[in-house]
Amino acid sequence: MQDDIRMAGNSFGKIFRITTFGESHGEGVGVVIDGCPPRIPLTREDFVRDMARRRPGGTPVASPRQEADRVEIQSGVFEGITTGAPLMLFIRNQDADSRPYEVLRQVFRPGHGDYSYFKKYGHFDFRGGGRYSARETAARVAAGVVAGKILDPVGVKVMAYTVELGGVKAKDMDLSLIEKSSFFCPDMLASKKMEEIVSNVRKEGNSLGGIVEILVKGCPAGLGEPVFDKLDADLAKALMSVGTVKGVEIGAGFEAARLTGSENNDPIAPGGFRSNHAGGILGGISNGDDIVLRAALKPIPSINLEQDTIDRQGEPSKLKFTGRHDIASIPRIVPVFEAMVKIVLADHYLCAKATQSKGH
Amino acid sequence: MQDDIRMAGNSFGKIFRITTFGESHGEGVGVVIDGCPPRIPLTREDFVRDMARRRPGGTPVASPRQEADRVEIQSGVFEGITTGAPLMLFIRNQDADSRPYEVLRQVFRPGHGDYSYFKKYGHFDFRGGGRYSARETAARVAAGVVAGKILDPVGVKVMAYTVELGGVKAKDMDLSLIEKSSFFCPDMLASKKMEEIVSNVRKEGNSLGGIVEILVKGCPAGLGEPVFDKLDADLAKALMSVGTVKGVEIGAGFEAARLTGSENNDPIAPGGFRSNHAGGILGGISNGDDIVLRAALKPIPSINLEQDTIDRQGEPSKLKFTGRHDIASIPRIVPVFEAMVKIVLADHYLCAKATQSKGH
Amino acid sequence: MQDDIRMAGNSFGKIFRITTFGESHGEGVGVVIDGCPPRIPLTREDFVRDMARRRPGGTPVASPRQEADRVEIQSGVFEGITTGAPLMLFIRNQDADSRPYEVLRQVFRPGHGDYSYFKKYGHFDFRGGGRYSARETAARVAAGVVAGKILDPVGVKVMAYTVELGGVKAKDMDLSLIEKSSFFCPDMLASKKMEEIVSNVRKEGNSLGGIVEILVKGCPAGLGEPVFDKLDADLAKALMSVGTVKGVEIGAGFEAARLTGSENNDPIAPGGFRSNHAGGILGGISNGDDIVLRAALKPIPSINLEQDTIDRQGEPSKLKFTGRHDIASIPRIVPVFEAMVKIVLADHYLCAKATQSKGH
Amino acid sequence: MQDDIRMAGNSFGKIFRITTFGESHGEGVGVVIDGCPPRIPLTREDFVRDMARRRPGGTPVASPRQEADRVEIQSGVFEGITTGAPLMLFIRNQDADSRPYEVLRQVFRPGHGDYSYFKKYGHFDFRGGGRYSARETAARVAAGVVAGKILDPVGVKVMAYTVELGGVKAKDMDLSLIEKSSFFCPDMLASKKMEEIVSNVRKEGNSLGGIVEILVKGCPAGLGEPVFDKLDADLAKALMSVGTVKGVEIGAGFEAARLTGSENNDPIAPGGFRSNHAGGILGGISNGDDIVLRAALKPIPSINLEQDTIDRQGEPSKLKFTGRHDIASIPRIVPVFEAMVKIVLADHYLCAKATQSKGH
């Protein structure tokens, strides 16, 4: 008999419920979506754009590993539309050479989950991070596409973009330029500077952190289920569940701590709120204004510099990567945040829909 | 037939599962705890200290409303120890004069949940915030006491304290002084300055925000259930589910965005981690180091200054409070954060306990 | 540290979610309902009828304990209508003399949960069965009243009635007579015979089992969530979760095992199904026909005859009750079944509502 | 925007949580298991025996469709043992000619879920029953194998066998003969008669129902989580969630309704219970005795006789199958029941494990 008790943690959402599975260097990664409404048109092609945006190799910061990342719809769709049965979306792994990871069988990488996974499970798939590889987020992006299909007809638009990378901040933001930037940064000047700093840090063998903002336009008022499943609480969990995220804020965020009530309160006018320090959420429920979130990302822990660590026996050890790797979780993490926010909103939308339809 | 569909949001936790109920000016607030292990000694007296720390009226910032806040154990305890049956803890409301709130029947208070609740439910108990009053957190503090009974024997200690209020920051922190400060601030000099700024802002009829830090000592490695119910993700949700919280960070938090990988990675030595930018959590799982969290609080929205708003018919209106109210959610929110963190840890501890017991 | 891990089991339902608490001889029993739609009128008086039907002392079979069983609405209602916040309904215990139970501190009653509770929890409230007393079902009946408020406007009617008691079977059933029978039996002749056999068995100090049928009229097609949360699967669980139930069947039930496909299949005609062996459920989803369920009840285990048993130390012991007790769980269990079926249907109705509204 | 709200129903279990997906004539069927403990050895070969026992074509009653039903482990296993990450098990469809089903695009099959699925979803995969095909149970059997890996070291053994088919009842039961019978019937004489009656009914183009008994030996006392997630309640749901089941009973079952308390109560002796009318469960918690369950199966609705029905437009229609099909859900359903009972027990075992380990 195994002596371990665990409580499943790989599902997210209440009505629109996703369960991801798979490892970095196994057969592939995938997601089962249970609770997707029937009669939504869905084909393989719907996934192409977002999977490509998340794919490594497309930009100066990203790792050169090539993945087609084609999403296979394995269940839940018949004659091009969803049936209401669970969707299973699968993304096969390719080009996944696990030999370079053999060194990690014994040694814990600082900043990664190796040590804590070993402490918890006593056994884990260490190849490329295994279950806690960023590879898992491919399944989230696929689920986000389906969530988007629920939100699109409602007019809800979710956009994520880089507002800071390696200390370089976006200033004059033009959201129409996001897709033109290697970092999904809406300030072209800042984007250029980010390219420079990334290039320099790559040469040093080091890595960088940054901040991503997520903007939701068109969200109807009334989403969120107090007192625990508040919209902001679920969004915070969704973002914090993505690797490398160390902080989450909503609206004025940490700056709100330095404002007075008269400065921070958003006056209400017949046409709507006159400011948006709340970030679109009051009392845990969307108020109809834009939802604004920011996530702080630590630097990618994999660096080409020697680091002190220990091995599985607790003995001191040194570790130095030599291969290529991402310099920052930006830009690849940007579509992941969009996906997670879409998943939360679709779930809460389905919860609250009938309330909305009453028109108050 | 009612046209509304809702998805219950008043429960939190998986094994140690709490469900709160009650309103500010109804019969009382309470919590049902399902999943509490049997044979834990529990009496009314266990709740006295934390309920008193959360109680209004004790400090310069708090509102003068007097509440005894006695916790009544209504089920789940027999002959002084828990039975494994659900605990129901009830805290009766007293001294709750609802007449001053009659004006709020029509007018939405800026910064409060009035508008979004009305949009969602079409009907709500507006007396003192009703369900979304800070009064609900009394039930959370009561549940936190029970969670503490699970953590105490493991040696897990949770402490929350104010690190910033109205722009005044704690610098030289001595955690042994927390209970001596009106604001649970571990820097007496800063605490004094906070008293001054609070006093001034009270005269102006305005309010203040701040930042609270939560420190967990003695947490065993291995808590957290990837990939969604990561320990940091659940803690972020727990903190963000508390009213007035606008941001949450873990370890280096937003500052991590400006560090390089070599700066941010915590080197591992045989005796433990040499730094703690991770805040005690790697890959969503506790690593045995201290867990460090911070929550940013917006200023209390209730101010004695005239504000622009609208009424239920959408017509412009003015609103000005004249009564006394809290100037900041600090200090009363401090024990609430302790409670929420205890609840998350107790839940994850029960999930992971057997794993820990194997000794790796 | 307690060594016990448990997974909360006192909640039921997904959208309309109930959590019961309380013991037979504690403060009272109650239920929190989370997910009740807002704007449903609800007062104390709504509960009177069903609480009275479940109350002991009203009929020849029931125990003489007198309970007012008034339901107190402790939260979730404001100005006479639900707010969408959790409802807490509380029923205080009265006239609960626990002294007669002192003998049970050491000795396990055959047929009751004493032995298995002791094995599981090592500690339990043995006074009158404590948590596993039929007293807990008072909370279910209260929750069923609220569920009924969701179903009534849809035209869904739930009726339970006795079809067999102590071997006496109802034959010529007239459902309009149910409330006239001491046993909620729709056959007055059978009801009379049941009174006789109950009277005789009472004299012997023995007890009786029976069968209750539950009929649902007006249930719309489309309720049920395959493949696990099928409507019949959830109904089976709901009924089986009531004490003394040892079997559940739907439609033709066990008799279906002896039919051929051509006999058992219900032909479909433009006006509906020509027969109803299915009991109103196909593929786990309601088909619009009447839903027909039956539950088999074992005799009440408390009897005034000497029984062999053991004590907590495992030593042989004898046990003989001398007090009065119910002879059968009928008739008091009848409104409990109605409540449980209403709770399941309200929950599934809220899940499926929007689908229904599309009119196919 | 789709107008449909659904609540996911394709998951089962709390700690050992399975989510099945897939359709009869899609890519395949599969299951994600979240909450499986780490370090359990698991290979493809572990699934071969039970998948073969469930496979069609092996016996006189089964349909001739040939499926290899190889289980592919797509995630959660590394170097031959489970990692604690979710397991995804996939069973590809083969030899699935969907052309014969084209006729079903318009016409509802009596006794099947066609009509109710259409009413619910407005769209469904009608090929071979699609999602509600018995094909889905292949995924359950695969999950049951993993559950068995948790139960085996505890000494829990689950056996299912046919006790009635087409009116023929097993009498002299020798459980060692189960695998020798085409119907998993422990009475060889009855098994022979079942073969005859099946052969005759096949010629008529009709079908048969039956009763399967499930016996659990070695189950420790203490499994089950009152008051809703009682062990018997969860078992009843598990069995009733399998297609063609119309009734479930435990221990004495429906017969208990005709016994007196003194007959039905199981006396307790130092060595254990002297009888087992309870079927191994008291108060919803296992008592350490054998668990005995029975499920009643309706005849397979697919028959080669003309039946009255309607089409999607509600017009009268006739339907007559000509192909070959199973005559009864027995014997193929037998390993499915074993799997479902194993899944329930593994889940409850993980819930209650620590309690057991205290030794009372």
Side-chain angles (χ1 to χ4, degrees):
Chain A
M1 182 60 209
Q2 299 297 320
D3 269 315
D4 304 271
I5 292 179
R6 289 186 56 249
M7 185 65 208
N10 294 285
S11 296
F12 187 79
K14 295 201 289 192
I15 288 190
F16 184 85
R17 185 158 180 82
I18 68 171
T19 303
T20 72
F21 58 87
E23 291 86 25
S24 176
H25 288 68
E27 296 294 315
V29 295
V31 61
V32 175
I33 305 175
D34 199 8
C36 180
R39 297 196 300 282
I40 296 180
L42 190 70
T43 68
R44 276 178 178 232
E45 284 66 44
D46 291 317
F47 300 93
V48 171
R49 177 178 173 273
D50 280 350
M51 296 311 288
R53 293 171 79 226
R54 190 209 147 275
R55 214 179 61 184
T59 73
V61 274
S63 88
R65 174 173 164 184
Q66 295 296 333
E67 300 167 278
D69 280 355
R70 266 182 314 185
V71 174
E72 299 169 19
I73 304 172
Q74 302 272 36
S75 71
V77 169
F78 179 57
E79 300 187 334
I81 56 177
T82 59
T83 63
L87 290 162
M88 198 277 263
L89 309 175
F90 195 58
I91 305 145
R92 255 165 243 289
N93 288 335
Q94 295 174 326
D95 179 24
D97 183 358
S98 63
R99 283 169 305 171
Y101 298 102
E102 196 56 32
V103 62
L104 301 178
R105 184 182 288 278
Q106 285 302 323
V107 179
F108 302 122
R109 293 171 299 169
H112 279 290
D114 302 11
Y115 178 81
S116 49
Y117 264 69
F118 179 68
K119 281 289 185 181
K120 184 177 188 68
Y121 302 110
H123 171 63
F124 65 99
D125 181 349
F126 54 78
R127 298 167 302 169
R131 179 64 184 150
Y132 55 97
S133 163
R135 177 89 186 125
E136 184 265 344
T137 61
R140 302 188 185 204
V141 170
V145 168
V146 181
K149 289 257 179 173
I150 294 170
L151 298 172
D152 278 350
V154 193
V156 179
K157 294 290 170 206
V158 178
M159 272 169 291
Y161 40 86
T162 301
V163 294
E164 189 173 331
L165 178 61
V168 180
K169 297 184 192 196
K171 281 164 192 167
D172 299 314
M173 300 206 289
D174 178 347
L175 298 185
S176 71
L177 302 175
I178 294 171
E179 301 296 326
K180 300 220 161 80
S181 157
S182 314
F183 305 101
F184 299 118
C185 174
D187 173 346
M188 285 300 108
L189 206 62
S191 185
K192 268 268 182 287
K193 284 188 200 157
M194 289 171 186
E195 286 187 28
E196 284 167 38
I197 194 170
V198 160
S199 173
N200 292 338
V201 166
R202 179 184 295 280
K203 281 173 204 149
E204 295 167 15
N206 219 330
S207 65
L208 292 170
I211 298 177
V212 171
E213 186 166 280
I214 306 105
L215 175 68
V216 183
K217 297 192 87 74
C219 181
L223 307 199
E225 299 302 331
V227 293
F228 295 110
D229 299 340
K230 290 174 170 175
L231 188 57
D232 38 5
D234 276 352
L235 287 166
K237 175 168 178 171
L239 298 182
M240 197 66 92
S241 77
V242 178
T244 78
V245 176
K246 298 305 285 183
V248 174
E249 59 179 13
I250 293 178
F254 275 81
E255 273 311 299
R258 285 120 201 175
L259 302 177
T260 61
S262 61
E263 290 165 338
N264 184 66
N265 283 353
D266 303 310
I268 321 180
F273 294 88
R274 290 220 189 102
S275 57
N276 191 13
H277 295 99
I281 299 174
L282 283 169
I285 300 172
S286 64
N287 64 14
D289 210 334
D290 291 350
I291 295 174
V292 185
L293 302 155
R294 272 174 303 280
L297 309 165
K298 72 174 184 183
I300 290 272
S302 295
I303 54 176
N304 295 354
L305 298 169
E306 190 177 82
Q307 299 181 83
D308 287 333
T309 185
I310 58 173
D311 63 20
R312 290 196 180 189
Q313 283 69 45
E315 297 301 313
S317 183
K318 300 278 185 188
L319 189 67
K320 184 178 172 176
F321 292 101
T322 51
R324 294 194 66 177
H325 52 76
D326 287 356
I327 297 304
S329 48
I330 293 169
R332 293 177 61 193
I333 208 169
V334 170
V336 177
F337 287 142
E338 288 179 1
M340 290 309 296
V341 170
K342 283 181 190 170
I343 289 163
V344 171
L345 291 175
D347 188 37
H348 277 275
Y349 175 79
L350 291 176
C351 288
K353 190 170 72 81
T355 307
Q356 298 309 319
S357 67
K358 303 213 37 162
H360 45 79
Chain B
M1 184 58 211
Q2 300 296 322
D3 269 315
D4 305 271
I5 292 179
R6 289 185 57 248
M7 185 65 208
N10 294 285
S11 296
F12 187 79
K14 295 200 291 190
I15 287 191
F16 184 85
R17 185 159 180 82
I18 68 171
T19 303
T20 72
F21 58 88
E23 291 87 25
S24 176
H25 288 68
E27 296 295 314
V29 296
V31 61
V32 175
I33 304 176
D34 200 8
C36 180
R39 298 197 299 282
I40 297 179
L42 191 70
T43 68
R44 278 179 176 230
E45 285 65 45
D46 291 317
F47 299 93
V48 172
R49 177 177 174 272
D50 279 350
M51 296 311 287
R53 294 171 78 225
R54 189 207 148 274
R55 214 179 62 184
T59 73
V61 274
S63 89
R65 174 174 166 184
Q66 295 296 335
E67 299 167 277
D69 281 356
R70 266 183 314 184
V71 174
E72 300 169 18
I73 303 172
Q74 302 270 36
S75 70
V77 170
F78 179 57
E79 301 188 332
I81 55 176
T82 60
T83 62
L87 290 163
M88 198 277 262
L89 309 174
F90 196 57
I91 305 145
R92 256 165 241 290
N93 289 334
Q94 295 174 325
D95 178 24
D97 183 0
S98 63
R99 283 168 306 171
Y101 298 103
E102 197 55 33
V103 61
L104 300 178
R105 185 183 288 280
Q106 285 301 322
V107 179
F108 303 120
R109 293 171 299 169
H112 279 290
D114 301 12
Y115 178 82
S116 50
Y117 264 69
F118 179 68
K119 281 288 186 181
K120 183 176 190 67
Y121 302 110
H123 170 63
F124 65 99
D125 181 348
F126 53 79
R127 299 166 303 168
R131 178 65 184 149
Y132 55 96
S133 162
R135 177 91 187 123
E136 183 264 342
T137 60
R140 302 189 186 202
V141 170
V145 168
V146 182
K149 289 258 180 172
I150 295 169
L151 297 173
D152 278 350
V154 193
V156 180
K157 294 291 169 204
V158 178
M159 274 168 289
Y161 41 86
T162 301
V163 295
E164 188 174 332
L165 176 61
V168 180
K169 297 185 192 194
K171 279 166 193 166
D172 298 313
M173 300 206 289
D174 177 348
L175 299 185
S176 70
L177 302 174
I178 295 172
E179 301 297 324
K180 300 218 161 83
S181 158
S182 314
F183 305 101
F184 299 118
C185 175
D187 173 347
M188 286 298 109
L189 205 64
S191 185
K192 269 267 182 282
K193 284 189 200 157
M194 290 172 184
E195 285 187 29
E196 283 167 38
I197 195 170
V198 161
S199 174
N200 292 339
V201 165
R202 179 183 295 282
K203 283 172 204 150
E204 294 167 15
N206 218 333
S207 64
L208 292 169
I211 298 177
V212 172
E213 187 166 279
I214 306 103
L215 174 69
V216 183
K217 298 192 86 73
C219 181
L223 306 198
E225 299 301 331
V227 294
F228 294 111
D229 299 341
K230 289 174 171 175
L231 188 58
D232 39 3
D234 276 352
L235 287 166
K237 175 168 178 171
L239 298 182
M240 197 66 93
S241 78
V242 178
T244 78
V245 177
K246 299 304 285 183
V248 175
E249 59 180 13
I250 292 176
F254 275 80
E255 273 311 299
R258 284 121 201 173
L259 301 177
T260 61
S262 61
E263 291 164 337
N264 185 66
N265 283 354
D266 302 311
I268 320 180
F273 294 88
R274 289 221 189 102
S275 59
N276 191 11
H277 295 99
I281 299 173
L282 284 170
I285 299 172
S286 64
N287 64 14
D289 210 334
D290 291 349
I291 296 175
V292 185
L293 303 154
R294 274 174 302 279
L297 309 165
K298 72 174 184 181
I300 289 272
S302 294
I303 55 176
N304 294 356
L305 299 168
E306 191 177 83
Q307 300 181 82
D308 287 333
T309 185
I310 59 173
D311 63 18
R312 291 197 180 189
Q313 285 67 48
E315 295 302 313
S317 184
K318 299 280 186 187
L319 188 67
K320 184 179 173 177
F321 293 100
T322 52
R324 294 194 67 178
H325 53 76
D326 287 356
I327 296 306
S329 48
I330 293 169
R332 292 179 59 196
I333 208 169
V334 170
V336 178
F337 287 141
E338 287 178 1
M340 290 308 297
V341 170
K342 283 180 192 171
I343 289 163
V344 171
L345 291 176
D347 189 37
H348 277 276
Y349 176 78
L350 291 176
C351 290
K353 190 170 71 81
T355 306
Q356 298 310 319
S357 68
K358 304 217 26 168
H360 45 78
Chain C
M1 183 61 212
Q2 300 297 321
D3 269 315
D4 305 272
I5 292 179
R6 291 186 54 248
M7 185 66 207
N10 294 285
S11 296
F12 187 78
K14 295 200 291 191
I15 287 190
F16 184 86
R17 184 159 181 83
I18 69 171
T19 303
T20 72
F21 58 88
E23 291 86 25
S24 176
H25 287 68
E27 296 294 314
V29 296
V31 61
V32 174
I33 305 176
D34 199 8
C36 180
R39 298 197 298 283
I40 297 180
L42 190 70
T43 68
R44 275 176 179 237
E45 284 66 44
D46 291 318
F47 300 93
V48 172
R49 178 178 174 274
D50 280 350
M51 295 311 289
R53 293 171 78 226
R54 188 207 148 277
R55 216 180 59 185
T59 73
V61 272
S63 88
R65 174 173 165 182
Q66 293 296 330
E67 299 166 278
D69 280 356
R70 266 182 315 185
V71 174
E72 299 170 18
I73 304 173
Q74 301 272 37
S75 71
V77 169
F78 180 56
E79 299 186 334
I81 54 177
T82 60
T83 63
L87 291 163
M88 197 277 263
L89 309 174
F90 196 58
I91 306 144
R92 255 165 243 289
N93 289 334
Q94 296 174 327
D95 179 24
D97 184 359
S98 62
R99 283 169 305 172
Y101 298 103
E102 197 56 31
V103 61
L104 302 178
R105 185 183 288 279
Q106 285 302 324
V107 179
F108 303 121
R109 294 171 298 168
H112 279 290
D114 302 11
Y115 177 81
S116 50
Y117 264 68
F118 179 68
K119 281 288 186 182
K120 183 176 189 67
Y121 301 111
H123 171 63
F124 64 100
D125 182 349
F126 54 77
R127 299 167 301 169
R131 179 64 184 151
Y132 55 96
S133 162
R135 177 88 187 125
E136 183 264 344
T137 61
R140 302 188 186 203
V141 170
V145 168
V146 182
K149 288 259 179 170
I150 294 169
L151 297 173
D152 277 351
V154 194
V156 180
K157 294 290 169 206
V158 179
M159 272 169 291
Y161 40 87
T162 300
V163 294
E164 188 173 333
L165 177 61
V168 180
K169 298 185 191 195
K171 281 167 191 165
D172 298 314
M173 300 207 288
D174 178 348
L175 298 186
S176 70
L177 302 175
I178 295 172
E179 302 296 324
K180 300 219 163 81
S181 157
S182 313
F183 305 102
F184 300 119
C185 174
D187 173 347
M188 285 300 108
L189 206 62
S191 186
K192 269 267 184 284
K193 285 189 200 156
M194 289 172 187
E195 285 186 30
E196 284 166 37
I197 193 169
V198 160
S199 174
N200 292 339
V201 165
R202 180 184 294 283
K203 282 172 206 150
E204 296 166 15
N206 218 330
S207 64
L208 292 169
I211 298 177
V212 172
E213 186 166 279
I214 306 106
L215 173 69
V216 183
K217 297 193 86 74
C219 181
L223 306 198
E225 300 301 332
V227 293
F228 294 109
D229 299 340
K230 290 175 170 175
L231 189 56
D232 38 5
D234 276 352
L235 287 166
K237 174 169 179 170
L239 298 182
M240 197 65 92
S241 77
V242 178
T244 76
V245 177
K246 298 305 285 182
V248 174
E249 60 179 13
I250 293 177
F254 275 79
E255 273 311 299
R258 286 120 201 174
L259 302 177
T260 62
S262 61
E263 290 165 337
N264 184 65
N265 283 353
D266 302 310
I268 320 178
F273 294 88
R274 291 221 189 102
S275 57
N276 191 13
H277 295 99
I281 299 174
L282 283 170
I285 300 172
S286 64
N287 64 15
D289 210 334
D290 291 350
I291 296 174
V292 185
L293 302 155
R294 271 173 305 277
L297 309 165
K298 71 175 184 181
I300 291 270
S302 295
I303 54 176
N304 294 355
L305 299 169
E306 190 176 81
Q307 299 182 81
D308 287 333
T309 185
I310 58 173
D311 62 20
R312 289 197 182 188
Q313 284 68 46
E315 296 302 313
S317 184
K318 300 276 184 190
L319 188 67
K320 183 179 174 177
F321 293 100
T322 52
R324 295 195 65 178
H325 53 75
D326 288 356
I327 297 304
S329 48
I330 292 170
R332 292 178 61 194
I333 208 168
V334 171
V336 178
F337 287 141
E338 288 179 0
M340 289 310 296
V341 170
K342 282 180 191 172
I343 288 163
V344 171
L345 292 176
D347 189 38
H348 277 277
Y349 176 78
L350 290 176
C351 289
K353 189 171 72 81
T355 306
Q356 299 309 319
S357 68
K358 303 211 38 162
H360 46 79
Chain D
M1 183 62 211
Q2 299 298 321
D3 269 316
D4 305 273
I5 292 179
R6 291 185 55 248
M7 187 64 208
N10 294 285
S11 296
F12 187 78
K14 295 201 291 190
I15 286 190
F16 185 85
R17 186 159 179 81
I18 69 171
T19 303
T20 72
F21 58 87
E23 291 87 25
S24 175
H25 287 68
E27 296 294 315
V29 296
V31 62
V32 175
I33 304 175
D34 200 7
C36 180
R39 298 196 299 281
I40 296 179
L42 191 69
T43 68
R44 278 179 176 230
E45 284 66 42
D46 291 318
F47 300 94
V48 171
R49 177 178 174 272
D50 280 350
M51 296 310 289
R53 293 171 78 227
R54 195 206 78 82
R55 215 180 60 184
T59 73
V61 274
S63 88
R65 174 175 165 184
Q66 295 297 332
E67 299 167 277
D69 281 355
R70 265 183 314 184
V71 174
E72 299 170 19
I73 304 172
Q74 302 271 33
S75 70
V77 169
F78 178 57
E79 300 188 333
I81 55 177
T82 60
T83 64
L87 291 163
M88 196 277 262
L89 309 175
F90 195 58
I91 305 144
R92 254 164 243 290
N93 289 334
Q94 295 174 325
D95 178 26
D97 183 359
S98 64
R99 284 169 306 172
Y101 298 102
E102 197 55 32
V103 61
L104 301 178
R105 184 182 289 279
Q106 286 302 322
V107 180
F108 303 120
R109 293 171 298 168
H112 279 289
D114 302 12
Y115 178 81
S116 50
Y117 263 70
F118 179 68
K119 281 288 185 182
K120 182 175 190 68
Y121 301 110
H123 171 63
F124 64 99
D125 181 349
F126 53 78
R127 298 167 304 168
R131 178 64 184 149
Y132 54 96
S133 162
R135 176 88 185 125
E136 183 265 342
T137 60
R140 301 188 185 203
V141 170
V145 168
V146 181
K149 289 257 180 173
I150 295 169
L151 298 173
D152 277 350
V154 193
V156 180
K157 294 291 168 203
V158 179
M159 274 169 290
Y161 41 87
T162 301
V163 294
E164 187 173 334
L165 177 60
V168 179
K169 296 184 192 194
K171 280 166 195 167
D172 297 314
M173 300 207 288
D174 177 347
L175 298 185
S176 69
L177 302 175
I178 295 172
E179 302 296 326
K180 300 219 162 83
S181 156
S182 314
F183 305 101
F184 300 118
C185 174
D187 173 347
M188 286 300 108
L189 205 64
S191 185
K192 269 266 182 286
K193 284 190 199 155
M194 291 172 184
E195 284 186 32
E196 283 168 38
I197 194 170
V198 160
S199 173
N200 292 339
V201 166
R202 179 184 295 282
K203 281 173 205 147
E204 295 167 15
N206 219 332
S207 64
L208 293 170
I211 298 177
V212 172
E213 187 166 277
I214 306 105
L215 173 69
V216 183
K217 298 193 87 74
C219 182
L223 307 199
E225 300 300 329
V227 292
F228 295 110
D229 299 340
K230 289 174 171 175
L231 188 57
D232 39 3
D234 275 352
L235 287 166
K237 175 168 178 171
L239 298 183
M240 197 65 95
S241 77
V242 178
T244 78
V245 176
K246 299 305 285 183
V248 174
E249 60 180 12
I250 292 176
F254 276 80
E255 273 311 299
R258 285 122 201 173
L259 301 177
T260 61
S262 61
E263 290 166 336
N264 185 65
N265 284 353
D266 302 311
I268 321 180
F273 294 89
R274 289 223 190 102
S275 58
N276 191 12
H277 295 99
I281 299 173
L282 284 170
I285 299 173
S286 64
N287 65 13
D289 210 335
D290 291 350
I291 296 175
V292 185
L293 302 155
R294 273 174 301 280
L297 309 165
K298 72 175 185 182
I300 290 272
S302 295
I303 54 176
N304 294 354
L305 298 168
E306 191 176 80
Q307 299 181 83
D308 287 333
T309 185
I310 58 173
D311 63 20
R312 290 197 182 189
Q313 283 69 46
E315 296 302 313
S317 184
K318 299 279 186 189
L319 188 66
K320 184 179 173 177
F321 292 99
T322 51
R324 296 193 65 178
H325 53 76
D326 287 357
I327 297 305
S329 48
I330 292 169
R332 291 179 60 195
I333 208 169
V334 171
V336 178
F337 287 141
E338 287 179 359
M340 290 309 296
V341 170
K342 283 180 192 171
I343 289 163
V344 172
L345 291 176
D347 190 36
H348 277 274
Y349 176 79
L350 290 177
C351 289
K353 189 169 72 82
T355 306
Q356 297 310 320
S357 67
K358 303 219 26 167
H360 43 78

